[in-house]
Amino acid sequence: MKKNYYKLFADCYCKGATCLHPNSSIDEKRCHDGDGKSISYMEGFRFVFPKDNNDDEFLPILNSLGIDCNIVSQQFKDIVEPYITDSTSIEFVPVKVYSEKYGERPYYIMHFLKFENVIDYESSKIITYADGTKTVMVPHLKLNLIKNLHLFCVNAVGHIIISDILKKALIRKGLKYGLAFSKSYICE
């Protein structure tokens, strides 16, 4: 039986989608998935919806200026945590998200501490820049290395990957709105 995996994104096309703003400067504290550095120092940071946004919506995944990680709801975190096989590969840092219309809610920065080494580079589509750096645009994942993973991160565009099992759990628990899934390529 073929297993399916999906890139997971915040759905930028749904009505309530927006980009949050940090309430305090985090320029010197940027966090990136896969960098191996804990961002526990960001605990308690406050993120706000833009003032001119009339469609504030507390979606399962939100994006913010200043960080390259997703901000996820309590419900999202509660659903995915049982599917995490290596608790040292990801951290959930508690933050607050504020809307003038609806008040404040608890959220978490979902920060992957490491990239899983599961990409088949020979099959993947890679862009090489003039300076020699490379970006994996369309990763092909090695099935034998991911078959027991349900939520992980790779060093590529669309870097958060979930299993079909986790995708179905999210949908079954009512979290389809605000999430986008794109099928990943798998190598046997």
Side-chain angles (χ1 to χ4, degrees):
M1 182 174 115
K2 184 165 173 141
K3 288 190 168 193
N4 290 320
Y5 286 82
Y6 300 87
K7 296 174 204 153
L8 175 67
F9 301 96
D11 184 356
C12 297
Y13 293 106
C14 71
K15 183 181 176 192
T18 189
C19 189
L20 299 174
H21 297 268
N23 208 28
S24 57
S25 176
I26 56 175
D27 293 335
E28 70 282 354
K29 300 176 183 173
R30 284 182 79 84
C31 59
H32 303 276
D33 281 327
D35 65 5
K37 300 173 189 166
S38 175
I39 59 161
S40 59
Y41 59 84
M42 293 188 73
E43 184 171 337
F45 262 66
R46 191 170 190 235
F47 296 86
V48 297
F49 284 93
K51 291 200 181 297
D52 60 350
N53 184 28
N54 294 325
D55 296 325
D56 293 358
E57 202 162 330
F58 288 99
L59 298 171
I61 293 179
L62 298 168
N63 294 311
S64 175
L65 299 173
I67 65 170
D68 296 325
C69 304
N70 289 306
I71 299 174
V72 300
S73 69
Q74 180 72 53
Q75 185 182 14
F76 180 92
K77 177 183 175 283
D78 290 346
I79 293 168
V80 303
E81 274 189 317
Y83 293 90
I84 297 170
T85 53
D86 178 7
S87 61
T88 65
S89 67
I90 186 171
E91 64 183 345
F92 290 94
V93 178
V95 295
K96 295 173 172 64
V97 175
Y98 175 77
S99 158
E100 277 189 18
K101 195 188 301 186
Y102 300 112
E104 192 170 86
R105 292 200 185 157
Y107 267 74
Y108 298 85
I109 298 174
M110 182 174 67
H111 177 237
F112 290 88
L113 292 161
K114 67 177 185 174
F115 294 124
E116 296 295 332
N117 188 17
V118 297
I119 297 175
D120 180 341
Y121 291 98
E122 290 182 22
S123 302
S124 299
K125 293 187 178 162
I126 301 171
I127 290 179
T128 303
Y129 301 99
D131 66 358
T133 59
K134 298 178 180 189
T135 299
V136 179
M137 299 301 292
V138 182
H140 288 238
L141 308 174
K142 297 177 184 177
L143 181 60
N144 64 323
L145 298 178
I146 64 172
K147 62 185 175 187
N148 296 318
L149 299 176
H150 296 286
L151 174 67
F152 59 97
C153 187
V154 295
N155 191 7
V157 173
H159 63 282
I160 297 174
I161 310 292
I162 64 170
S163 68
D164 192 48
I165 293 168
L166 181 51
K167 176 187 173 196
K168 288 176 181 173
L170 289 165
I171 292 169
R172 189 174 53 253
K173 299 282 186 167
L175 289 188
K176 184 174 181 185
Y177 186 72
L179 300 179
F181 308 96
S182 175
K183 198 167 184 183
S184 293
Y185 292 97
I186 307 296
C187 298
E188 296 295 327

